[in-house]
Amino acid sequence: MDLARQRETVRRLREFLPERSVLWAEEDTRPYECDGLTAYRAVPMVVALPESEEEVRRILRTCSEGGVPVVPRGAGTGLSGGALPLGNGVLLSMAKFMRIVRLDPRARVAVVQPGVRNAAISEAAAAFGLYYAPDPSSQIACTIGGNVSENSGGVHCLKYGLTVHNVLRVRGFTVDGEPLEIGAESLDSPGYDLLALAIGSEGMLMVVTEVTVRLLPKPDCARVVLASFDDVQTAGDAVAAVISAGIIPAGLEMMDRAATRAVEQFVGAGYDLEAAALLLCESDGTSAEVEHEVERMERVLRSAGATRIAVSRDEAERLRFWSGRKAAFPAVGRISPDYYCMDGTIPRRRLGEVLRFIGELEKKYGLRCPNVFHAGDGNLHPLILFDANDPEQLARTEQFAAEVLEKCVEVGGTITGEHGVGVEKINQMCTQFRSQELEAFLAVKAAFDPTGLLNPGKAVPTLARCAEYGRMRVHGGALPHPELPRF
Amino acid sequence: MTLEAIRERVRAASERRSPLRLRGGGSKDFYGGEPHGEMLDLSRYAGIASYEPTELVVTARCGTPLAELESELAARGQYLPFEPPHFAPGATVGGCVAAGLSGPGRAAVGAVRDYVLGVKVIDGGGRLLAFGGQVMKNVAGYDVSRLFAGSLGTLGVIAEVSLKVLPAPQAEMSLSLEMPLERALDACNRWAALPLPVSASAWHDGELVVRLRGSEAGVQSAARKIGGAPRDASAFWTSVRDQTHPFFASPGSLWRASLPPTAAPLGLPCTELVEWGGALRWVKGDVDSKLVREAARRSGGHATLFRGVERGDGAFAPLSPVVMRLHRALKSAFDPHGIFNPGRLYPGL
Ligand SMILES: Cc1cc2nc3c(=O)[nH]c(=O)nc-3n(C[C@H](O)[C@H](O)[C@H](O)COP(=O)(O)OP(=O)(O)OC[C@H]3O[C@@H](n4cnc5c(N)ncnc54)[C@H](O)[C@@H]3O)c2cc1C
C-alpha cells in the first residue's frame, strides 16, 4: 500500500468528514475486503462512510481531483465481486443511507435511500397492503442501491419483473460529483432511457443516493403447488409445458435431489426426497382466481409427468414449502466447506439438456453440483461444492464453472441472469461478446465516466484483456483471472 | 432488402457525412422533430426471424408490419402487452421500438422498453452490433437494448428486435361510469392500490371507461367491486390507442402530459382525455407551449408536443444540462458523424 497516498487521501477527506466516517487502519478496513464472492479479496486503502448527499458529492470530487478510484458498496452481498475494493482506492460505503424518505400509498411509490434493505421497503409498505415486488433470496440483507446496480431478480420476477421494471427514478452523482437525476414519478421520461443503463451498471456509471420504486398491491391470496418428478429432464420439460399452457406463475422454481436433501436437513420443509427434481409453482390473485389457476397448474404438471403433487393448504404451509428454496444457499453452505454459485440464463426449452450436461461435468471433474434455480426464467444457479483449501479442487471448480457458462452462451443464453459480471465473469464476457460490442460498452462507460475512476476493472473487459484470455485458452492453460488474488 | 444493403447505405452516408432519415412505415412521421435527410426505407427488411411461444419470445426484423406480428402472436394465443399504437396501417416493429410509445395497457403492464430483450443494430460505422438476447434475464454488459427503445432512430438502425410476449388474457370486460375528472382520478388511484385486474382506463367528457383483463373469475369479481355499466369497447380502445377517437380530431395542438397518477387536473383551457389511471393526460387546444410545459413540470411530470400545429422549438421537454451532456456523449459513441435522424429527438442531437 502506498502510505503517502493513503495519508493524503485521509487528510483531504477529513477536511469535511468526521473521524467516524473515514476508516484507514487495517483492523477497520479489513471487514470490507470482499463481498459475497469471498474468493476475491483486497483491503481498501480507505473506507468512506458518508451520511449525506453533500458528503458523497465532496468525496467524489476529492477522489476525482486526486485521481483516486472509488468503489461503491451496499450490503456487500453481491456474488460477482462488484464491490471488491481496490488497494489504491476509496471504498464508498452507502450503509448509512438508511432512510425511507417518503412512502406515498396513494401514488404507490416509495422514495428510499440506497442503503435501505430490500425487505424493509415491503415491510414499510405492508401497512397499506402494498409491497415492492423484486425479492432476491438475500432480501433481508441486500440494499436497494445494490439491487439497482445489479438489476437484481427474485422468485417472483417471472410475473412481476426485475429491478429495471420496478424502479421509476434514481438520483445520485457522476464520478466527478455532478448531481444527476434520471427518470421521474411520471412515466416514460423524455430522451434516452438512461435509467435502463444505470440499472444493472454494477456501480460503474454513477453513485446512487436516492431511489424511487413502484409499489404493487399485495395479492389477496397465494398458494404453491409442489410437484415431484422422476428425472430432471422431465421436470425441465414441465416448466415449458406450464408456460405453453398460457400460465404465468407468480413463481416457478426448481430444485434437484441433491439440493432438496441438503435443505431438508437444514429447515425441514417437508420435501419429497425420493424425487429427482421438485418444481415449486406459485399462483397468486383473488381466492377464486387462485383456486382456478391451481387446478390448471395441477392438470398441466400431471400430464407433463409429475409423480406426486402437493398444494399448500394455508399460508403457514406455503411459507414452509418456500422455506427450503429460500434457505438453499446457506443449506448447501453447511454440507460443503465452500460452494461456487453460477448464474447463467438459457432458453427454457434447453433446460433438460443443460442440466444433463452439468450432470456429466460432475463426473468429469469429480465434484458435486446441486441445482436450485429460477426455472420459469431459465435462470440457472448450479452450486459447485468444493474445498477452497485444496488448490487442485479449486482449479477443477473454475474449469467446471467456465464450461457451464460457455454452454449457456452456446445454447443462446447468457453468462449472468442476475448476479452481474463483476470481476468473476469478466473473462467470459469475451466469450459472449465480440470486440465491437465490448467497445460499445466501453464507450457507454466513458460517456458517464471519462476518467474511468468509478469502480474500474469490473464488468466490461478491455480488448487487450480478451486477447490475452483468448491466447491463454488457445495454449490450453485454462487458469482464468491470473492477476487476481487466489481463493 | 438485405441487411448488407442497409449497412452499405449507412457506410456510404457516413463517408459523405450525409444525414439519413430512417423510416419504417412512416406512421409516426409526425412525431418528434421534423425528419430530414436522405430517406432510408427499412420497411422491406421484414419478417419474423424466430418465434418460440414456449419461450415467450419473438424476434422480428425491423420492417415487419406490427399488424402481421400481432396476428402471428394471436394465432398462438399470445400478444404484445404494451399495445403499441399503430396510428396508420403501415406501422412496423422497428418504428414501434424506436418511437418507444405504448398504448392503453402501459400503466398496468409496462412500456415497450420493458419487453425489449435484445436488439441487433447498425451503428454509424455500418457495423452490426448485437445486445441482449432472447432470454428473460440478462445482466451481462450495460442494457443497451433498452437504450435503443425510444431513441427515435438517433443512435442507429434497429435491424432486428427480440420482444417478450405474454399469453393473451382469458377474459376481458370494459365498464362505463359517469363521473367528473377529479372523482375519476381518485377512483383509478384507489383501484390501482388494490389487487384488481384493471388493465386500462380512459376518461373523457364525464365518462370513465375501465378495462379489466385476467381470469374469468378475477374479472367478474372486480367488475362487481367497480360497478358501472358493461360496455362493448374493443373498438373504443383501438380508437384511443390509434387516436381515431373524436377527441383527437378537436382543433389545436395535441400535448401528451405524463404526470404522477395522483396529480390534480392540469386546469388548462383545453379538452382532455386521461389514460393510464391518471398518469397520461392528453391535452388538446390552442395553448402556449410554455404554459403546458410549466403546468406539467409543476405537477411533477413532463409534456410532449405530440402533434403540433407547428413543431416549434422541439417536441420534447428540455433536459437538464448533465443529462443533455450524457445524451451527446452517447450519440457520438454510436453515431460519431451524426448521420442518423438528426434533430428528431432534440435539436443538435
Ligand atoms: C445468499 C444470497 C442469495 C442471493 N440471492 C439473490 C437472488 O435471488 N437474486 C439476485 O438477483 N441476487 C441474489 N444475490 C446477490 C446479491 O444479494 C444482489 O446482487 C444484491 O442486489 C446486492 O446488494 P448489496 O446491497 O449487497 O450490494 P453490494 O454487494 O454491496 O454491491 C453490489 C454492486 O452494486 C454497487 N453498488 C452498491 N450500492 C451502490 C450505490 N449506492 N451506488 C452505486 N453503486 C452501488 C457495488 O459497487 C457493486 O458493484 C444473493 C446473494 C446471496 C449472498
Side-chain angles (χ1 to χ4, degrees):
Chain A
M1 166 135 15
D2 181 341
L3 290 175
R5 182 181 161 99
Q6 183 190 44
R7 239 188 335 267
E8 175 60 13
T9 307
V10 169
R11 188 189 63 75
R12 300 210 42 202
L13 292 176
R14 283 297 312 282
E15 281 171 12
F16 57 91
L17 288 174
E19 195 174 347
R20 63 171 186 275
S21 303
V22 184
L23 313 178
W24 52 272
E26 208 201 301
E27 75 246 38
D28 296 327
T29 53
R30 166 94 43 206
Y32 296 89
E33 69 180 345
C34 67
D35 61 12
L37 183 72
T38 53
Y40 300 82
R41 292 166 196 266
V43 177
M45 177 176 77
V46 175
V47 175
L49 293 139
E51 290 167 26
S52 67
E53 287 187 320
E54 178 56 13
E55 287 181 355
V56 174
R57 189 185 71 78
R58 294 186 71 178
I59 293 168
L60 289 169
R61 278 215 79 84
T62 304
C63 289
S64 16
E65 278 161 19
V68 176
V70 176
V71 177
R73 175 181 167 111
T77 69
L79 290 173
S80 54
L84 179 73
L86 290 164
N88 65 345
V90 167
L91 186 89
L92 182 66
S93 167
M94 299 304 286
K96 290 186 176 171
F97 281 72
M98 284 182 51
R99 218 155 44 79
I100 294 182
V101 179
R102 182 164 72 84
L103 196 153
D104 183 344
R106 209 168 100 83
R108 290 102 48 210
V109 295
V111 180
V112 301
Q113 292 188 329
V116 171
R117 289 174 305 110
N118 172 295
I121 304 176
S122 291
E123 282 156 22
F128 308 101
L130 301 170
Y131 76 116
Y132 175 62
D135 55 345
S137 307
S138 51
Q139 69 184 142
I140 54 166
C142 67
T143 67
I144 189 72
N147 294 173
V148 164
S149 302
E150 301 288 4
N151 189 15
S152 300
V155 299
H156 290 102
C157 285
L158 178 59
K159 185 164 173 184
Y160 296 105
L162 306 160
T163 304
V164 71
H165 302 112
N166 288 281
V167 165
L168 292 169
R169 165 190 162 273
V170 298
R171 186 167 79 186
F173 297 94
T174 61
V175 68
D176 47 7
E178 204 169 358
L180 177 60
E181 184 166 356
I182 304 175
E185 256 168 63
S186 56
L187 300 171
D188 304 342
S189 294
Y192 298 146
D193 195 339
L194 302 183
L195 199 55
L197 282 185
I199 294 173
S201 64
E202 306 198 19
M204 295 175 68
L205 300 185
M206 66 184 289
V207 173
V208 175
T209 56
E210 197 174 275
V211 184
T212 303
V213 300
R214 216 158 62 93
L215 302 173
L216 297 183
K218 240 183 133 88
D220 285 337
C221 133
R223 294 176 77 189
V224 61
V225 181
L226 194 56
S228 308
F229 290 87
D230 276 343
D231 67 279
V232 288
Q233 172 104 35
T234 316
D237 295 343
V239 170
V242 170
I243 306 287
S244 31
I247 303 172
I248 301 293
L252 183 53
E253 299 283 308
M254 180 161 157
M255 302 173 80
D256 66 11
R257 180 157 48 212
T260 53
R261 293 203 165 159
V263 302
E264 198 58 31
Q265 296 169 28
F266 190 56
V267 290
Y271 290 159
D272 172 3
L273 299 180
E274 294 316 309
L278 283 185
L279 284 184
L280 286 137
C281 184
E282 180 150 284
S283 170
D284 67 8
T286 64
S287 59
E289 275 178 301
V290 170
E291 194 182 328
H292 177 70
E293 191 170 66
V294 162
E295 248 168 55
R296 288 176 66 208
M297 287 171 170
E298 279 190 78
R299 216 167 337 139
V300 175
L301 290 167
R302 231 181 270 286
S303 63
T307 52
R308 231 176 97 180
I309 285 185
V311 183
S312 65
R313 282 159 298 189
D314 51 34
E315 191 57 13
E317 191 169 48
R318 186 181 80 88
L319 295 177
R320 189 159 61 82
F321 284 173
W322 277 113
S323 67
R325 169 62 187 91
K326 294 243 169 183
F329 288 13
V332 165
R334 295 204 343 166
I335 61 166
S336 168
D338 298 278
Y339 67 87
Y340 190 95
C341 174
M342 278 166 287
D343 176 41
T345 302
I346 57 169
R348 276 178 284 258
R349 66 181 183 286
R350 312 294 288 266
L351 271 176
E353 173 194 341
V354 173
L355 291 174
R356 214 164 353 97
F357 177 78
I358 295 173
E360 283 155 20
L361 293 180
E362 286 188 283
K363 288 184 212 123
K364 175 172 168 188
Y365 289 104
L367 294 166
R368 285 184 299 154
C369 182
N371 282 288
V372 324
F373 59 93
H374 311 300
D377 299 309
N379 186 194
L380 304 173
H381 288 326
L383 300 163
I384 305 174
L385 310 186
F386 72 106
D387 182 351
N389 290 323
D390 176 354
E392 189 270 331
Q393 268 197 35
L394 166 66
R396 268 189 282 145
T397 301
E398 288 184 325
Q399 283 174 31
F400 189 152
E403 276 205 55
V404 173
L405 293 184
E406 278 157 29
K407 179 78 177 175
C408 291
V409 175
E410 181 199 312
V411 301
T414 174
I415 56 171
T416 173
E418 58 181 16
H419 294 166
V421 173
V423 293
E424 183 205 21
K425 292 178 279 277
I426 197 158
N427 285 338
Q428 275 80 26
M429 285 292 281
C430 314
T431 310
Q432 184 163 337
F433 295 99
R434 296 167 299 172
S435 334
Q436 52 188 38
E437 282 87 14
L438 295 175
E439 269 169 3
F441 291 146
L442 294 167
V444 168
K445 165 75 170 159
F448 282 79
D449 174 15
T451 53
L453 285 174
L454 192 58
N455 213 1
K458 312 277 172 70
V460 184
T462 59
L463 301 187
R465 184 182 177 125
C466 284
E468 185 54 37
Y469 179 62
R471 240 190 326 275
M472 212 166 65
R473 289 173 52 81
V474 169
H475 292 150
L479 184 73
H481 324 300
E483 76 293 6
L484 290 167
R486 308 317 298 168
F487 281 72
Chain B
M1 185 187 239
T2 64
L3 199 57
E4 211 27 66
I6 305 174
R7 295 177 63 187
E8 197 39 61
R9 284 284 306 278
V10 170
R11 277 193 291 261
S14 163
E15 261 158 42
R16 286 182 286 116
R17 309 285 191 264
S18 142
L20 286 174
R21 165 185 180 183
L22 309 184
R23 192 169 197 252
S27 64
K28 294 163 190 84
D29 277 350
F30 65 86
Y31 184 56
E34 196 83 59
H36 63 88
E38 215 181 288
M39 179 87 78
L40 176 51
D41 176 3
L42 297 162
S43 65
R44 281 177 309 126
Y45 186 64
I48 293 173
S50 70
Y51 175 32
E52 287 286 345
T54 62
E55 299 293 331
L56 304 176
V57 179
V58 66
T59 300
R61 296 188 191 97
C62 56
T64 313
L66 257 186
E68 179 188 321
L69 176 66
E70 286 170 338
S71 72
E72 282 296 315
L73 297 176
R76 306 299 298 265
Q78 299 189 329
Y79 80 131
L80 298 173
F82 52 90
E83 298 174 81
H86 291 218
F87 295 133
T92 63
V93 173
C96 148
V97 174
L101 295 169
S102 314
R106 197 268 173 255
V109 298
V112 185
R113 58 86 91 166
D114 292 309
Y115 291 84
V116 170
L117 297 175
V119 291
K120 284 192 182 140
V121 298
I122 298 167
D123 73 3
R127 295 185 304 179
L128 183 69
L129 308 177
F131 297 101
Q134 301 190 328
V135 290
M136 295 291 126
K137 292 165 86 177
N138 186 353
V139 295
Y142 303 119
D143 196 346
V144 175
S145 316
R146 288 187 219 282
L147 180 69
F148 272 79
S151 65
L152 270 179
T154 59
L155 293 174
V157 178
I158 302 172
E160 192 180 287
V161 58
S162 295
L163 295 168
K164 177 176 174 177
V165 299
L166 286 179
Q170 294 173 301
E172 176 174 320
M173 181 196 268
S174 292
L175 299 164
S176 161
L177 300 98
E178 299 285 325
M179 57 177 81
L181 180 55
E182 258 136 22
R183 272 191 47 217
L185 288 173
D186 189 55
C188 286
N189 280 296
R190 258 186 302 113
W191 295 327
L194 299 170
L196 296 171
V198 173
S199 83
S201 71
W203 178 94
H204 177 61
D205 203 14
E207 184 194 15
L208 174 65
V209 187
V210 177
R211 187 181 69 191
L212 304 169
R213 277 182 168 179
S215 70
E216 194 60 51
V219 166
Q220 289 302 336
S221 78
R224 280 191 297 276
K225 236 176 241 172
I226 285 175
R231 154 169 189 173
D232 180 11
S234 104
F236 169 78
W237 293 112
T238 309
S239 77
V240 170
R241 184 194 76 183
D242 285 346
Q243 304 188 339
T244 53
H245 185 281
F247 160 80
F248 295 98
S250 53
S253 291
L254 176 66
W255 290 85
R256 180 184 190 268
S258 175
L259 306 184
T262 49
L266 282 172
L268 294 163
C270 302
T271 56
E272 277 189 59
L273 188 147
V274 176
E275 287 191 79
W276 301 359
L280 178 61
R281 323 262 171 118
W282 295 105
V283 177
K284 194 93 168 65
D286 279 313
V287 257
D288 185 52
S289 309
K290 284 202 195 70
L291 208 65
V292 185
R293 287 242 150 90
E294 184 48 29
R297 204 193 51 77
R298 257 186 288 122
S299 303
H302 68 273
T304 301
L305 178 56
F306 202 79
R307 290 182 194 257
V309 172
E310 275 174 63
R311 291 200 188 189
D313 55 356
F316 302 100
L319 303 173
S320 73
V322 203
V323 170
M324 195 53 180
R325 197 193 71 218
L326 292 172
H327 274 62
R328 290 218 176 82
L330 289 167
K331 168 78 173 172
S332 70
F334 287 95
D335 178 19
H337 303 310
I339 57 168
F340 293 125
N341 281 357
R344 191 79 195 265
L345 190 57
Y346 282 98
L349 197 69

